[in-house]
Amino acid sequence: MALIKTFEERPLTPTKLHSPVVCGYKAVELGADRVLQIETYGSADRAVPGKVSQVIQLDRSAALALKAIIERAFPEH
């Protein structure tokens, strides 16, 4: 699990499109903090399909930063 606080643009070189999976999300209060938690679940070809695979949490600042990144990545939307 990871709480994302900042984003950095990096020179990544994706070479393929990954297989599709389900992504769950929920905004929750954790003590005095509000976070958006996002989970991906194992694809059908995994040893345990549907098992939580990755979990990330975004606080308000990180969520707003991600929103800006998405708007820059997909400017026509």
Side-chain angles (χ1 to χ4, degrees), residues 28-50:
V28 296
E29 303 288 337
L30 295 175
D33 300 311
R34 183 166 182 82
V35 299
L36 173 63
Q37 182 160 310
I38 300 170
E39 303 176 344
T40 62
Y41 309 104
S43 60
D45 60 341
R46 296 283 301 262
V48 183

Side-chain angles (χ1 to χ4, degrees), residues 1-5 28 30 35-38 55-59 62:
M1 184 181 306
L3 172 62
I4 295 173
K5 291 295 226 173
V28 296
L30 295 175
V35 299
L36 173 63
Q37 182 160 310
I38 300 170
V55 178
I56 62 169
Q57 295 176 333
L58 303 166
D59 62 9

Side-chain angles (χ1 to χ4, degrees), residues 4-68:
I4 295 173
K5 291 295 226 173
T6 60
F7 292 90
E8 293 180 355
E9 187 167 4
R10 300 273 181 111
L12 307 177
T13 53
T15 58
K16 68 174 186 165
L17 193 60
H18 293 272
S19 59
V21 297
V22 173
C23 180
Y25 68 92
K26 182 143 179 112
V28 296
E29 303 288 337
L30 295 175
D33 300 311
R34 183 166 182 82
V35 299
L36 173 63
Q37 182 160 310
I38 300 170
E39 303 176 344
T40 62
Y41 309 104
S43 60
D45 60 341
R46 296 283 301 262
V48 183
K51 180 181 176 188
V52 173
S53 216
Q54 292 92 21
V55 178
I56 62 169
Q57 295 176 333
L58 303 166
D59 62 9
R60 179 176 176 76
S61 176
L64 292 173
L66 180 57
K67 180 181 177 189

